[in-house]
Amino acid sequence: VDSFRSSKLSYADRRKVILVIFVIVAVIYIVRLFQIQVIDESYKISAANSSLRNLTVYPARGLIYDRNGKLMVYNEVIYDLMVTPNQVRVLDTAAICTLLEMQPSDVKERIEKARVWSPYRPSVFEKQISKAEFARIQEQLFKFPGFYVQARTQRYYPYQIAPHTFGYIGEVNQSDLDRDGYYRPGDYIGISGIERAYEKELRGQKGMRKVWVDKFNNEIGRVAEGKYDTSAVAGLDLYTTIDLDLQRYGEELLQNKSGSIVAIEPATGEILALVSHPGYDPNLLVGRVRTKNYGMLQQDPNKPLYNRALQARYPPGSTFKMVNALIGQQLGVLTAQTTYPCAMGFHFGGLTVGCHAHPSPLDLSQSIQHSCNAYYCRAFRAIIDANGSKPAREGFEEWRRQVLSFGFGQALESDIPNQSSGNIPTAAYYDRYHGKNRWKSITIISLSIGQGEITATPLQLANFAATIANRGFYVVPHVGKALGRKDSLLQKYTIHHNTSVNRSYYDLVVDAMENVVIAGTGRVARIDSISVCGKTGTAQNPHGEDHSIFIAFAPKDNPKIAIAVVVENAGFGATWAAPIASLMIEKYLRREITAPNRLDLEKRMKEVRLSP
Ligand SMILES: [Zn+2]
């Protein structure tokens, strides 16, 4: 402070000096700007030797997590080789062919194809170059004006699971381009599964950088200091309802078999596991190898691309008896006390629907416990003919209306695309088949035990199990839980779809399903100290061994999981589908299987080979 005071300059002088310095700096700055923008020819010269390039900045696609925040799908950087046809100069054909490992005709064809799209705008010359290839090409690329490399990302699946549910990404086609102005040729889009259902949220927003590049392809500056650039906005991360561990476990249990497993949290409709086997490693449908691998999977006689969980239609067999038990109660033709006899089946005129040995007569609850065919033949006739003298058609229409209220016969439209609707036949169908009003309840008696024209998908069967678990309603099964953050929950699927059957009629069915597992046809599904309610089924298969079906939920009170398991060519439902369902339930509720007898069961399920 003292030395400052001893300075010879007064305060006013010092102020002048500072002002002068400011003015000088400002003048220099303005002059330099003038030189750059108006006088300096070197800028014009360099502009002649350079060109403007619009670089698309691809946003990172949103990641996909499981319900517990475990990462299931992420992105890896890959590179596209781009070409701007009118910038391609004196092409050393041999050299570029060597560099890209291509035939000269191929190189020429690709440039011409790009020219058709636009001679001035860059388009993709070679897609999805790996990191190793990128390093090799990048070193040489300065020799080839008109070419440059652009980074983008592609999917990577650390666990080779749930290929059908994730779906895959591919290049946009013409109809995508026509439908949505966001896309440019060569862009990528979700084609199936989650990638398709959440395309808009996952894709984010592309950005743009305008840059000058010299004739050697080196970026030499930004246009207008980035004034016209837009930055990319990353896609939103998707938190799914899938339980990664349960999904993996289900895929292991179905190995060496064909079939599916659908597990749902009943109260919310959240899908915990969606297994279709055989499947494939989702990494096969990523990048340049996608087309080739897709063709290979299409040729595979085991149909790994076919999503059985959503698309396969099976006669639901005895699992459908509960639908008739519920509708019969609602219509007042069945009560807890309704008994019917069974003499190894139902006999009417020359018609016999066989049954197995069990006590007789049975009441409604026992009819479920022992899965009696004769009981349901008689119960179904009572349902259809409830109106007495009126034609069967009217009773049938009422029955059908109620069946549809359980979600059968329709796709359960949600964020899982490509569902089959299954089939609940119409009166018109029987009119065509038998003649108008020339059919009766006895004509369509197979519907009583879930056979004949009725078909359902594994998803619909799991939804049915969830409906019983909820005592009368379902929430549309779905896989999206939250977007962006784990706690920003999607509220898309919250509606309770009530069935036509009053809540009070469910208790008898639930108790009976518990008895199925305690002392009925599904004993193999028992788990110590967990109350499992279940029902076996067998889907007739005209092409070979029957399909084994089991639907279940647990615990009985306040259920946490409802499940449907279908194992193809496996015979009776209790043999394979029931143990697999019970292992899945235990895995979900306890997180691990520890009892020696259960581990033994697990081993047997994994090891068995059931071929078509
Ligand atoms: Zn029977």
Side-chain angles (χ1 to χ4, degrees):
V1 176
D2 284 346
S3 66
F4 190 74
R5 274 185 188 159
S6 67
S7 157
K8 284 172 187 166
L9 288 171
S10 68
Y11 173 75
D13 287 340
R14 270 184 274 131
R15 218 176 139 220
K16 272 179 199 159
V17 170
I18 290 165
L19 254 174
V20 167
I21 291 168
F22 261 111
V23 169
I24 290 167
V25 168
V27 167
I28 291 170
Y29 195 74
I30 289 163
V31 167
R32 183 68 191 134
L33 264 179
F34 185 73
Q35 280 178 330
I36 289 169
Q37 293 189 341
V38 184
I39 300 167
D40 195 340
E41 286 294 311
S42 69
Y43 272 74
K44 278 186 190 162
I45 292 161
S46 77
N49 268 333
S50 66
S51 53
L52 176 73
R53 179 177 294 158
N54 288 326
L55 290 176
T56 303
V57 185
Y58 286 96
R61 198 168 171 88
L63 308 179
I64 301 178
Y65 294 89
D66 92 331
R67 65 188 291 110
N68 300 310
K70 289 182 187 161
L71 188 56
M72 298 193 293
V73 182
Y74 63 87
N75 302 312
E76 280 195 331
V77 178
I78 47 116
Y79 304 89
D80 286 346
L81 181 60
M82 308 296 290
V83 66
T84 311
N86 73 338
Q87 291 176 11
V88 176
R89 306 264 181 272
V90 204
L91 201 60
D92 180 347
T93 316
I96 196 155
C97 289
T98 311
L99 180 68
L100 302 175
E101 294 167 347
M102 277 181 199
Q103 296 301 315
S105 58
D106 200 11
V107 172
K108 205 175 155 194
E109 195 181 303
R110 287 178 188 219
I111 294 171
E112 285 316 305
K113 205 177 153 196
R115 194 184 299 282
V116 172
W117 150 239
S118 167
Y120 309 102
R121 295 169 70 176
S123 53
V124 179
F125 182 85
E126 175 73 344
K127 283 177 286 190
Q128 300 156 353
I129 299 165
S130 70
K131 270 180 200 156
E133 284 176 289
F134 167 72
R136 191 171 59 80
I137 290 171
Q138 179 70 357
E139 275 175 17
Q140 304 283 319
L141 211 57
F142 70 94
K143 295 179 191 163
F144 307 104
F147 289 92
Y148 69 99
V149 171
Q150 179 162 280
R152 53 165 122 199
T153 58
Q154 73 178 16
R155 288 305 210 196
Y156 181 73
Y157 307 89
Y159 310 97
Q160 290 82 52
I161 57 161
H164 309 93
T165 307
F166 295 144
Y168 59 91
I169 296 165
E171 231 176 287
V172 289
N173 60 27
Q174 193 56 48
S175 81
D176 299 322
L177 293 169
D178 295 342
R179 185 173 42 80
D180 189 335
Y182 174 83
Y183 300 104
R184 293 280 170 269
D187 279 358
Y188 289 80
I189 189 169
I191 291 180
S192 66
I194 287 173
E195 299 283 14
R196 175 171 145 194
Y198 291 96
E199 164 68 13
K200 280 216 163 70
E201 293 83 359
L202 290 169
R203 76 184 181 193
Q205 187 71 41
K206 281 182 287 193
M208 179 70 81
R209 284 175 65 228
K210 287 178 183 292
V211 295
W212 294 108
V213 291
D214 65 14
K215 62 179 176 180
F216 301 115
N217 260 316
N218 299 312
E219 204 177 304
I220 51 169
R222 297 160 79 189
V223 174
E225 295 180 330
K227 201 167 121 189
Y228 304 111
D229 292 0
T230 52
S231 45
V233 181
L236 294 173
D237 294 343
L238 178 69
Y239 292 83
T240 68
T241 61
I242 299 290
D243 183 307
L244 169 64
D245 296 336
L246 190 67
Q247 176 75 30
R248 286 174 86 181
Y249 190 58
E251 295 193 14
E252 284 166 26
L253 289 171
L254 278 188
Q255 68 192 17
N256 306 319
K257 296 172 266 304
S258 291
S260 38
I261 303 174
V262 182
I264 299 174
E265 184 177 72
T268 60
E270 292 178 1
I271 294 178
L272 305 169
L274 192 59
V275 180
S276 175
H277 211 269
Y280 55 91
D281 177 352
N283 292 303
L284 287 175
L285 295 189
V286 168
R288 283 159 82 188
V289 291
R290 187 174 71 83
T291 310
K292 193 187 99 206
N293 287 338
Y294 192 88
M296 183 193 77
L297 292 168
Q298 247 176 343
Q299 301 291 316
D300 190 327
N302 294 321
K303 297 186 181 174
L305 291 171
Y306 180 45
N307 189 348
R308 290 172 162 78
L310 306 183
Q311 289 164 358
R313 296 176 295 177
Y314 305 97
S318 299
T319 58
F320 199 75
K321 286 173 181 164
M322 273 104 64
V323 178
N324 286 328
L326 288 162
I327 294 175
Q329 289 184 85
Q330 181 68 24
L331 292 173
V333 302
L334 292 179
T335 68
Q337 286 76 42
T338 308
T339 58
Y340 288 118
C342 174
M344 293 302 283
F346 170 76
H347 312 279
F348 185 92
L351 174 88
T352 292
V353 177
C355 197
H356 55 99
H358 60 73
S360 172
L362 300 176
D363 66 21
L364 181 55
S365 177
Q366 292 164 328
S367 75
I368 292 172
Q369 183 183 339
H370 297 289
S371 196
C372 177
N373 286 345
Y375 192 99
Y376 284 91
C377 289
R378 290 170 188 274
F380 185 70
R381 295 199 73 195
I383 290 168
I384 300 299
D385 302 334
N387 280 342
S389 57
K390 287 182 180 165
R393 183 192 188 92
E394 283 185 28
F396 176 83
E397 301 268 25
E398 173 59 18
W399 171 83
R400 184 173 191 276
R401 186 187 67 77
Q402 298 212 28
V403 172
L404 295 185
S405 78
F406 288 83
F408 290 111
Q410 63 215 278
L412 300 163
E413 289 299 344
S414 73
D415 55 1
I416 35 177
N418 298 322
Q419 295 173 35
S420 158
S421 57
N423 186 48
I424 303 299
T426 60
Y429 169 84
Y430 291 117
D431 281 347
R432 280 199 305 278
Y433 198 81
H434 299 287
K436 187 148 178 93
N437 288 333
R438 294 190 60 188
W439 47 278
K440 299 184 175 120
S441 56
I442 193 71
T443 326
I444 54 173
I445 199 72
S446 0
L447 303 184
S448 66
I449 53 171
Q451 293 177 13
E453 294 80 10
I454 295 183
T455 58
T457 62
L459 177 73
Q460 287 171 332
L461 292 173
N463 186 55
F464 177 46
T467 305
I468 302 173
N470 290 332
R471 278 75 166 169
F473 72 88
Y474 67 87
V475 178
V476 169
H478 56 279
V479 291
K481 192 169 167 70
L483 263 173
R485 288 183 358 213
K486 200 182 169 190
D487 57 356
S488 45
L489 298 175
L490 291 163
Q491 301 287 336
K492 277 160 88 176
Y493 309 104
T494 52
I495 297 169
H496 286 194
H497 294 267
N498 290 307
T499 64
S500 59
V501 176
N502 293 349
R503 187 191 164 94
S504 58
Y505 295 128
Y506 280 84
D507 291 333
L508 181 144
V509 170
V510 169
D511 288 341
M513 286 174 74
E514 188 183 25
N515 287 335
V516 166
V517 177
I518 292 171
T521 53
R523 285 186 295 271
V524 66
R526 271 190 83 162
I527 308 169
D528 278 345
S529 65
I530 296 177
S531 54
V532 178
C533 302
K535 181 75 193 78
T536 52
T538 304
Q540 287 187 332
N541 174 19
H543 311 291
E545 196 72 41
D546 288 346
H547 306 315
S548 171
I549 303 179
F550 195 72
I551 68 170
F553 62 88
K556 182 185 177 187
D557 298 311
N558 197 12
K560 295 287 178 236
I561 179 172
I563 192 166
V565 177
V566 179
V567 185
E568 293 185 0
N569 311 110
F572 180 53
T575 321
W576 303 109
I580 288 174
S582 98
L583 288 166
M584 287 289 285
I585 289 170
E586 186 176 2
K587 176 78 174 176
Y588 183 65
L589 296 179
R590 294 198 174 132
R591 305 311 296 177
E592 58 180 351
I593 312 288
T594 51
N597 65 326
R598 300 289 288 171
L599 288 169
D600 180 58
L601 186 68
E602 176 187 285
K603 187 161 173 278
R604 276 193 286 136
M605 291 302 122
K606 285 183 185 176
E607 279 174 0
V608 69
R609 233 166 233 287
L610 298 162
S611 51

